[in-house]
């Protein structure tokens, strides 16, 4: 009775282990990868297919005999036995059979499960045995820990006390994960080799290759394995694209919300993907262990960027508070608000607009001082140095991670392992090869060819597509139509962006004129605010829509180029998407910053669009306030709507649709509905991982908002910081709960994104120099203060920047319709420009003050740009890219590795010498006992000696 109970409990444990779909049916072999496919459930399937796959689970021999071409006799009998099937479904089934057979030939073990809860979806579970893992780890040059352990050098004295003090203070904000404390010892790592297995730490073979490494090894085999029953060779990417398989993914470790089982996914969900952990550091090592180095580096970079935003936000708040504190002491805004000056301004539009008092723009002038004050110049310099410091800090952090994750020397190893060409590239090259072969056949039609050679060539063409692609490659002539399409397409898309911005400008001009004709005085008083706010909202909506459109267009343009490798494809896609999205996001802001109010003309001689719409002017306090409004609304709108709502809302909606669809289909089959879902079925319902490009892109665009126009909006770093605190947890939650587990990808840096960030940082220096000198009134104030002020103060600055205009010089039909709207007849009005007075000889011409201010502006741009660039480069030079302690540890690892191999060789030589000495003594004893040793005995002794030496 006890024995029966024990056996039942063991059977229950085995069932528990495999019921969630993490193991094969035997409960021993772990599932490393899943291939999912759809099939029509009605009608029986090929009988021998099921038997073949059941056998293939246990038998690892080559299944060549089990696979025939579609025209084989065995397949004909099977096809006659089953009902008529759709041609495309039959073709997909044949491709799957051959591909899975080829996978078994590589050593992988497969198990098929078609009796799932998901209606019409079958799964192929893949397990990589130990010998396959070792073989592929050696081929991929994976660095694995050896038995050699060494002590990590620690700082001594004051630095050690300071480090321990900081660690003790930051302990409450550290995530509660194992292995978080600073390491004191480290395993020496070396690229895996089957010949040197004795060097590696294989005390626990089950955990030697973790789940991340196992899935990446299987994925490498899937990419390399081909299916040649199609017209051309196909890897897993082509099979997915052609619908032969519907999905391919590694499994998550388990449930993230289960209290029963403890796994890395649940730990990450609790300590990383929880909004309650927003104040904690990220468990980057655990993220890397679960998702791989590439995703780990993204979150590490995002964490460093968010940390660096803290000092920038503090300084930005101080600059803003300085503007608030000094607004009542700002003489120009006080003069604009003083009604005693009684300055009458010229109309802002033709006929419908009337004369107005400058004091009515008091609020705008005071608000402009919050962002247009001497502190903003300091803040621009600070942010340029901040960007350089951020890049250096990230490089040092990256080197520490490379050392900790054993990625030092990764580029050399990566160069030794050849990247697999993309399936689309191979198909294009094969198509080119077949065309060339067809043309050569046409030329040689007069040469007779026997049938066996024809059949041999046909089989070679159908079954050996890879060999054909190795002989050919795509040249620039093959890609020229795609390159031309790319250039024309990008120029056209940029033109579309400019056209939309121009359309918004027309909206602003026409709406301002329409509102000025309103009979409501409140409407007329708030024309500028209404037009600015509505125009910015329109710009935001257009930017959000075009972002999605441009992302799809950039992908299509990259696809028609047919890049050879995935890395090249990703880099070209990133460049195109960034270019289009950069232009889309910043074109409206560039217009307000550098073009609005510059091409206006003067009263009596304004510039017109389509001979009827007058170009819009800046407010009396300048365009900087409007630039601030434009920047803040677009930045906050993109972060709130696109980065947060879209990012989490769209995957949830897709997941809900898939769930409802599968639930509706499952109800049709009551037995399927009663089954508990396996792990791979639950992961199938998740959203596929689409890469890190969207994540990086939104952060780089935000980085542009923080640095490019920071002179006009000092609070941009603060809003970016608040967004990123939520963004980190939002992205983490998405990776843990909403996405299938991505394949781990090795990477030692963030790739092309680093160069893009560096370029944006350099561009920010130039743009901020132009914003300060041309958009703000900082330079005109300095010029007035040191050249024209009679008492060395800013008194009289507003009057100095305004020119006079005689209302009798208005062109016919452009004068105000109500000239006495202010209660008196206006003879002279003022407008903001440096021009001669009506009573001078060269009336309304540009005066010398304009040229003095322009010279000062250009001089400031040159000095500011070169000074800040020099300071940034100095920061770059003075901070080493590699921390000194890491450099020493890397050098020490190399020395230790050489010592390990020398010690191993010395041990081998010593063993050989000892064995030789032992054999020599043994031979002497034998000779002394039987001097007449036969030749055959001597031969057998020498052969035994050589055999032992080989061993």
């Amino acid at each position: 009775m006890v024995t029966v109970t024990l056996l039942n409990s063991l059977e229950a444990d085995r069932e528990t282990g495999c019921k969630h779909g993490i193991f094969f049916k035997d409960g021993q072999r772990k599932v490393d990868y899943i291939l999912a496919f759809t099939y029509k459930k009605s009608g029986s399937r090929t009988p021998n297919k099921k038997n073949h796959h059941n056998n293939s689970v246990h038998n690892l021999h080559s299944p060549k005999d089990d696979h025939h071409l579609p025209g084989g006799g065995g397949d004909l009998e099977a096809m006659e036995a089953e009902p008529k099937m759709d041609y495309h479904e039959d073709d997909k089934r044949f491709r799957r059979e051959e591909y899975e057979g080829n996978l078994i030939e590589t050593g992988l073990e497969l198990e098929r499960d078609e009796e799932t809860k998901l209606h019409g979806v079958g799964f192929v579970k893949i397990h990589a045995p130990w010998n396959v893992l070792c073989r592929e780890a050696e081929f991929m040059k994976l660095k694995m820990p050896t038995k050699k352990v060494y002590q990590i050098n620690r700082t001594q004295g004051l630095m050690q006390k300071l480090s321990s003090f900081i660690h003790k203070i930051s302990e409450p904000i550290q995530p509660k994960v194992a292995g978080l404390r600073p390491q004191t010892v480290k395993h020496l790592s070396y690229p895996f080799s089957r010949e040197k297995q004795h060097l590696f730490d294989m005390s626990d073979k089950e955990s030697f290759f973790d789940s991340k490494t196992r899935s990446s090894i299987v994925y490498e085999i899937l990419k390399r394995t081909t299916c040649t029953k199609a017209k051309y060779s196909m890897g897993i990417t082509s099979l997915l694209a052609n619908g032969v398989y519907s999905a391919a993914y590694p499994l998550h470790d388990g449930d993230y919300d289960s209290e029963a089982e403890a796994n890395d996914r649940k730990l990450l969900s609790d300590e990383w993907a929880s909004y309650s952990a927003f104040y904690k550091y990220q468990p980057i090592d655990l993220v890397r262990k679960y998702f791989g180095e590439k995703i780990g580096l993204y979150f590490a970079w995002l964490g460093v960027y968010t940390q660096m935003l803290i000092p920038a936000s503090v300084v930005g708040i101080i600059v803003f508070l300085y503007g608030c504190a000094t607004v009542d002491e700002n003489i120009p805004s006080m003069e604009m608000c003083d009604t005693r000056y009684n300055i009458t301004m010229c109309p802002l539009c033709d006929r419908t607009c009337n004369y107005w008092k400058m004091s009515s723009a008091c609020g705008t002038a005071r608000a402009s001082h919050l962002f247009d004050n001497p502190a903003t110049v300091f803040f621009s310099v600070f942010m340029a140095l901040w960007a350089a410091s951020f890049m250096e800090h990230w490089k040092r952090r990256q080197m520490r991670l490379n050392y900790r994750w054993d990625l030092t020397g990764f580029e050399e190893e990566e160069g030794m392992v050849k990247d697999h060409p993309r399936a689309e590239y191979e198909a294009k090259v094969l198509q080119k090869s077949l065309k060339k072969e067809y043309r050569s056949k046409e030329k040689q039609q007069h040469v007779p060819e026997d049938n066996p050679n024809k059949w041999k060539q046909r089989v070679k063409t159908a079954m050996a597509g890879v060999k054909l692609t190795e002989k050919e490659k795509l040249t620039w002539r093959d890609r020229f139509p795609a390159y031309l399409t790319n250039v024309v397409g990008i120029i056209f898309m940029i033109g579309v962006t400019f056209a939309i911005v121009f359309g918004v400008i027309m909206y602003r001009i026409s709406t301002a004129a329409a509102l000025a004709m309103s009979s409501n005085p409140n409407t007329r008083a708030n024309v500028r605010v209404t037009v600015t706010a509505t125009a910015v909202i329109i710009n935001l909506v257009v930017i959000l829509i075009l972002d999605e459109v441009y992302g799809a267009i950039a992908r299509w343009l990259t696809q028609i180029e047919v890049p050879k490798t995935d890395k090249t494809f990703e880099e070209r896609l990133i460049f195109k998407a960034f270019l289009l999205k950069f232009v889309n996001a910043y074109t409206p802001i560039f217009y307000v910053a550098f073009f609005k109010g510059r091409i206006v003309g003067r009263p009596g001689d304004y510039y017109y669009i389509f001979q009827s719409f007058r170009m819009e002017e800046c407010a009396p306090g300048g365009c900087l306030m409007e630039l601030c409004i434009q920047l803040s609304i677009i930045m906050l709108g993109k972060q709130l709507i696109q980065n947060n709502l879209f990012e989490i809302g769209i995957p949830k909606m897709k997941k809900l649709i898939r769930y409802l669809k599968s639930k509706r289909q499952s109800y049709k089959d009551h037995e399927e509905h009663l089954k508990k879902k396996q792990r791979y079925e639950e992961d199938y319902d998740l959203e596929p991982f689409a890469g890190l490009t969207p994540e990086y892109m939104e952060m780089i665009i935000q980085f542009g908002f923080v640095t490019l126009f920071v002179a006009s909006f000092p609070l941009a770093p603060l809003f970016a910081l608040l967004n990123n605190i939520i963004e980190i947890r939002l992205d983490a939650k998405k990776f843990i709960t909403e996405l299938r587990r991505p394949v781990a990808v090795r990477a030692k840096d963030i790739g092309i994104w680093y160069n893009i960030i560096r370029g944006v940082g350099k561009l920010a220096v130039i743009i901020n120099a132009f914003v300060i000198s041309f958009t703000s009134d900082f330079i005109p104030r300095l010029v007035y203060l040191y050249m024209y002020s009679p008492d060395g103060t800013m008194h009289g600055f507003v009057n100095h920047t305004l020119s006079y205009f005689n209302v009798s010089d208005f062109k016919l039909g452009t004068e105000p319709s109500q000239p006495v709207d202010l209660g008196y007849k206006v003879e002279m009005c003022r407008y903001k420009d440096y021009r001669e007075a009506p009573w001078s000889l060269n009336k309304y011409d540009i005066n010398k003050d304009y040229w003095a201010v322009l010279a000062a502006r250009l001089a400031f741009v040159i000095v500011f740009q070169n000074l800040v660039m020099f300071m940034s480069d100095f920061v770059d030079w003075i901070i080493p890219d590699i921390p000194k302690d890491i450099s020493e540890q890397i050098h020490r690892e190399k020395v230790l590795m050489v010592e390990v191999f020398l010690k191993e060789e010395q041990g081998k030589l010593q063993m050989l010498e000892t064995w030789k000495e032992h054999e020599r003594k043994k031979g002497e004893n034998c000779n002394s006992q039987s001097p007449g040793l036969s030749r055959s005995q001597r031969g057998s002794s020498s052969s035994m000696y050589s055999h032992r030496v080989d061993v």
Side-chain angles (χ1 to χ4, degrees):
M1 184 69 182
V2 175
T3 308
V4 173
T5 306
L6 182 62
L7 288 174
N8 289 338
S9 64
L10 289 174
E11 190 66 25
D13 289 340
R14 177 177 294 185
E15 184 66 23
T16 303
C18 65
K19 72 177 182 180
H20 299 300
I22 299 178
F23 292 90
F24 276 23
K25 289 180 180 178
D26 57 13
Q28 300 295 323
R29 290 170 294 176
K30 191 172 183 180
V31 177
D32 298 318
Y33 218 87
I34 289 291
L35 298 178
F37 59 92
T38 56
Y39 61 91
K40 292 185 177 179
K41 199 152 189 181
S42 59
S44 61
R45 286 177 290 275
T46 310
N48 65 347
K49 183 183 71 169
K50 184 175 180 181
N51 295 333
H52 162 71
H53 282 286
N54 287 339
N55 292 333
S56 67
V57 173
H58 304 286
N59 300 330
L60 300 181
H61 65 272
S62 175
K64 285 181 181 177
D65 298 332
D66 296 335
H67 288 279
H68 306 285
L69 287 172
D75 287 304
L76 281 174
E77 293 174 4
M79 290 167 69
E80 288 172 3
E82 67 178 4
K84 205 80 172 179
M85 291 185 66
D86 183 29
Y87 170 75
H88 295 292
E89 291 295 323
D90 204 32
D91 182 56
K92 289 177 183 178
R93 180 171 58 83
F94 276 121
R95 295 189 196 183
R96 284 196 296 268
E97 285 182 2
E98 189 205 357
Y99 184 71
E100 290 163 21
N102 292 340
L103 289 178
I104 294 169
E105 286 186 357
T106 64
L108 296 178
E109 298 176 8
L110 310 184
E111 184 178 80
R112 184 180 285 263
D113 181 9
E114 293 182 5
E115 302 302 324
T116 64
K117 190 174 179 181
L118 299 177
H119 184 80
V121 179
F123 297 93
V124 178
K125 294 178 277 188
I126 302 177
H127 169 76
W130 174 257
N131 61 326
V132 174
L133 293 173
C134 293
R135 182 191 72 208
E136 296 298 321
E138 182 176 359
F139 176 73
M140 295 168 65
K141 307 290 182 185
L142 295 180
K143 273 191 172 182
M144 306 303 293
T146 63
K147 295 176 182 177
K148 177 68 176 177
V149 179
Y150 68 95
Q151 194 81 17
I152 297 177
N153 293 334
R154 285 292 169 192
T155 54
Q156 302 295 329
L158 180 63
M159 293 301 296
Q160 183 184 12
K161 293 180 180 178
L162 182 63
S163 177
S164 61
F165 175 72
I166 292 173
H167 182 76
K168 190 175 292 185
I169 289 177
S170 62
E171 194 167 354
I173 59 175
Q174 297 287 351
K176 297 176 182 178
V177 295
L180 192 65
R181 295 189 62 83
Q183 293 179 335
T184 55
V185 295
K186 186 176 185 291
H187 281 274
L188 197 63
S189 296
Y190 186 74
F192 186 81
S193 172
R194 285 174 289 179
E195 294 180 357
K196 297 181 174 61
Q197 283 193 35
H198 58 280
L199 294 178
F200 295 94
D201 183 17
M202 293 187 179
S203 54
D204 185 6
K205 280 191 175 184
E206 292 298 323
S207 61
F208 185 73
F209 295 107
D210 57 13
S211 60
K212 162 186 68 73
T213 308
R214 296 175 71 98
S215 63
S216 61
I217 286 175
V218 174
Y219 181 65
E220 192 70 20
I221 297 174
L222 292 177
K223 286 197 299 182
R224 198 171 64 234
T225 306
T226 57
C227 167
T228 53
K229 279 191 179 178
K231 293 181 180 179
Y232 54 87
S233 175
M234 303 179 75
I236 185 61
T237 51
S238 290
L239 292 172
L240 289 169
N242 287 283
V244 178
Y245 290 102
S246 58
Y249 52 91
L251 291 179
H252 279 292
D253 275 359
D255 292 328
Y256 62 87
D257 54 358
S258 173
E259 297 294 334
E261 55 178 331
N263 53 66
D264 288 343
R265 188 186 187 193
K266 178 172 173 51
L267 187 59
L268 284 171
S269 177
D270 295 339
E271 296 295 327
W272 181 52
S274 173
Y275 293 112
S276 60
F278 74 93
Y279 61 93
K280 291 185 178 181
Y281 285 101
Q282 299 182 84
I284 292 298
D285 290 330
L286 188 59
V287 174
R288 173 252 178 179
K289 178 188 173 186
Y290 193 77
F291 290 110
E293 287 79 7
K294 192 170 184 179
I295 293 175
L297 282 173
Y298 163 70
F299 281 103
W301 174 84
L302 184 56
V304 170
Y305 172 47
T306 305
Q307 287 177 6
M308 290 294 291
L309 282 172
I310 295 174
S313 303
V314 172
V315 176
I317 292 171
I318 293 172
V319 169
F320 179 74
L321 293 177
Y322 170 81
C324 295
T326 58
V327 67
D328 293 328
E329 302 170 7
N330 184 40
I331 295 174
S333 61
M334 291 170 61
E335 288 183 349
M336 289 183 65
C337 294
D338 196 344
T339 55
R340 293 175 298 177
Y341 283 92
N342 198 29
I343 298 176
T344 303
M345 302 297 293
C346 295
L348 296 174
C349 60
D350 294 341
R351 291 194 63 79
T352 55
C353 298
N354 298 320
Y355 302 106
W356 54 285
K357 293 289 187 180
M358 174 170 275
S359 57
S360 64
C362 174
T364 306
R366 288 172 65 85
S368 296
H369 178 72
L370 301 178
F371 307 101
D372 187 5
N373 55 68
T376 57
V377 180
F378 158 75
F379 191 54
S380 299
V381 177
F382 171 81
M383 288 303 293
L385 298 179
W386 172 87
S389 302
F390 162 59
M391 299 305 295
E392 291 305 308
H393 181 42
W394 166 243
K395 282 194 287 187
R396 291 170 65 83
R397 170 71 169 155
Q398 188 173 258
M399 279 306 303
R400 289 190 180 277
L401 292 176
N402 285 341
Y403 166 72
R404 197 192 309 169
W405 296 347
D406 297 319
L407 292 172
T408 52
F410 173 67
E411 287 177 352
E412 293 81 3
E413 297 159 16
E414 192 181 35
M416 295 171 68
V417 181
K418 187 178 178 182
D419 284 340
H420 298 295
R422 297 174 63 247
E424 293 82 357
Y425 178 85
E426 286 187 339
K428 194 77 174 177
V429 171
L430 181 60
Q431 188 179 4
K432 178 183 176 182
S433 304
L434 294 176
K435 281 183 179 179
K436 187 178 287 187
E437 188 180 356
Y438 180 72
R439 288 170 187 165
S440 64
K441 279 185 177 181
E442 281 187 336
K443 291 179 181 178
Q444 298 174 0
Q445 276 183 355
H446 61 280
V447 180
E449 187 177 12
D450 53 342
N451 289 333
N453 288 339
K454 283 184 179 180
W455 170 248
K456 193 181 294 183
Q457 189 64 33
R458 194 173 299 166
V459 171
K460 190 184 293 183
T461 302
M463 302 296 291
V466 179
K467 294 181 180 178
L468 288 174
T469 59
E470 288 175 355
K471 299 176 184 177
E472 293 287 344
K473 62 179 181 179
L474 297 183
T475 62
W476 68 270
R477 291 185 179 180
D478 300 319
R479 289 193 172 106
F480 180 75
Y483 290 152
L484 185 62
T485 306
N486 270 260
V487 173
V488 173
I490 290 173
I491 293 174
F492 176 74
M493 290 300 113
I494 293 174
V496 168
T497 303
F498 288 163
I500 291 173
V501 172
F502 180 75
V504 175
I505 294 170
M506 295 298 300
Y507 162 80
R508 295 162 67 110
I509 295 170
S510 58
T511 305
L515 292 177
M517 293 187 291
S518 175
S519 58
N520 190 341
N522 291 329
T523 304
R524 292 200 303 270
N526 297 313
V527 167
R528 192 178 295 276
V529 176
T530 305
V531 169
T532 301
T534 55
V536 171
I537 292 171
I538 292 172
N539 276 327
L540 174 61
V541 173
V542 169
I543 286 171
L544 294 177
I545 294 172
L546 287 184
D547 257 2
E548 302 301 320
V549 174
Y550 285 167
I553 290 174
R555 179 169 291 277
W556 175 74
L557 290 174
T558 310
Q559 285 173 346
I560 63 173
E561 278 188 52
V562 198
K564 185 173 182 179
T565 62
D566 288 329
K567 184 179 180 182
T568 311
F569 179 88
E570 186 180 21
E571 288 179 350
R572 294 185 183 184
L573 173 62
I574 288 169
F575 174 75
K576 294 181 185 67
F578 174 75
L579 178 63
L580 292 174
K581 293 189 177 186
F582 182 89
V583 172
N584 180 41
Y586 295 115
T587 300
I589 302 172
F590 269 93
Y591 165 72
V592 175
F594 302 120
F595 296 99
K596 185 179 179 182
R598 312 289 171 200
I599 315 168
V600 177
R602 59 170 180 81
D605 189 20
Y606 283 113
Y607 300 137
Y608 293 88
I609 302 175
F610 305 133
Q611 299 181 351
S612 57
F613 295 102
R614 201 174 97 187
M615 291 296 292
E616 54 182 346
E617 302 177 46
C618 289
C623 277
L624 199 67
M625 186 61 198
E626 187 173 341
L627 176 62
C628 173
I629 295 171
Q630 183 104 359
L631 185 68
S632 59
I633 291 179
I634 291 178
M635 178 182 177
L636 296 176
K638 272 182 68 67
Q639 289 183 167
L640 180 64
I641 299 173
Q642 189 178 42
N643 298 1
N644 295 332
L645 294 181
F646 283 6
E647 192 169 331
I648 200 67
I650 291 177
K652 277 189 176 294
M653 192 180 298
K654 289 181 178 178
K655 183 181 176 182
L656 179 63
I657 292 171
R658 281 196 301 270
Y659 171 75
L660 293 174
K661 186 178 179 182
S662 64
K663 191 175 181 181
R664 187 174 66 250
Q665 290 175 340
S666 297
Y667 271 123
K668 296 176 182 177
D669 194 336
H670 184 64
E671 292 181 3
E672 288 185 352
H673 181 65
L674 294 176
K675 292 179 185 176
K676 178 173 172 39
K677 274 192 175 183
Q678 303 285 334
R679 172 81 267 147
Y680 46 85
E681 293 176 293
E682 292 182 359
D683 286 2
Y684 183 78
D685 288 334
L686 299 177
E687 184 73 10
F689 175 63
L692 288 170
T693 300
E695 316 298 336
Y696 273 113
M697 188 68 70
E698 66 187 51
M699 288 295 107
I700 301 302
I701 296 296
Q702 184 204 81
F703 181 77
F705 282 121
V706 169
T707 54
L708 292 179
F709 297 95
V710 75
S712 63
F713 190 39
L715 295 179
L718 174 64
F719 289 115
L721 173 64
L722 297 175
N723 174 79
N724 286 5
I725 290 173
I726 301 171
E727 178 74 19
I728 290 175
R729 308 303 163 181
L730 195 67
D731 283 349
K733 203 168 189 65
K734 183 176 71 173
F735 272 83
I736 293 294
T737 64
E738 304 297 332
L739 297 180
R740 292 175 190 159
R741 187 175 183 178
V743 179
V745 179
R746 287 188 298 167
K748 68 176 298 181
D749 51 39
I750 59 174
I752 193 175
W753 295 110
Y754 178 83
N755 296 326
I756 291 176
I757 297 169
R758 195 173 182 84
V760 171
K762 298 290 184 185
L763 183 63
V765 176
I766 301 170
I767 290 178
N768 280 305
F770 277 95
V771 167
I772 293 169
S773 58
F774 284 91
T775 308
S776 74
D777 283 337
F778 178 74
I779 299 301
R781 289 172 186 169
L782 284 181
V783 172
Y784 176 78
L785 186 64
Y786 293 107
M787 291 182 63
Y788 300 106
S789 177
D791 54 358
T793 65
M794 292 302 296
H795 287 289
F797 169 73
V798 175
N799 187 61
H800 177 75
T801 58
L802 298 176
S803 300
Y804 288 91
F805 179 74
N806 193 332
V807 299
S808 61
D809 293 332
F810 271 122
K811 288 184 179 179
L812 187 64
T814 61
E815 68 278 0
S817 57
Q818 299 177 1
V820 292
D821 186 58
L822 295 177
Y824 56 88
K825 185 178 181 182
V826 178
E827 295 181 355
M828 288 283 181
C829 65
R830 309 291 295 275
Y831 62 99
K832 190 173 182 179
D833 207 348
Y834 292 102
R835 291 184 180 270
E836 298 288 347
W839 52 81
S840 66
L841 293 176
N842 302 315
K843 66 177 184 178
Y844 305 133
D845 286 348
I846 293 173
N847 59 21
K848 61 179 183 179
D849 297 346
Y850 172 84
W851 298 111
V853 171
L854 179 62
R857 282 174 163 164
L858 294 175
F860 176 83
V861 169
I862 295 170
V863 172
F864 181 89
Q865 175 186 335
N866 286 282
L867 179 64
V868 175
M869 288 283 193
F870 170 76
M871 294 171 69
S872 300
D873 291 340
F874 180 73
V875 170
D876 191 0
W877 173 75
I878 202 171
I879 302 175
D881 294 346
I882 305 176
K884 187 178 178 181
D885 59 327
I886 297 299
S887 179
E888 291 174 354
Q889 298 287 9
I890 293 173
H891 177 70
R892 188 180 174 201
E893 276 196 355
K894 292 179 180 178
V895 173
L896 287 173
M897 186 54 67
V898 172
E899 288 179 1
V900 167
F901 282 114
L902 285 176
K903 190 175 179 181
E904 184 189 8
E905 292 299 323
Q906 288 172 359
K908 286 180 179 179
L909 289 173
Q910 189 175 0
M911 285 176 62
L912 189 61
E913 291 295 331
T914 305
W915 187 84
K916 281 183 177 179
E917 183 68 22
H918 175 72
E919 288 294 320
R920 187 180 62 78
K921 289 180 179 179
K922 187 177 179 182
E924 288 177 356
N925 293 334
C926 290
N927 289 335
S928 62
Q929 291 176 6
S930 55
L933 186 69
S934 67
R935 184 177 298 177
S936 62
Q937 288 174 322
R938 287 198 302 268
S940 63
S941 175
S942 63
S943 64
M944 187 184 299
Y945 168 78
S946 63
H947 177 69
R948 290 183 182 179
V949 169
D950 290 340
V951 173

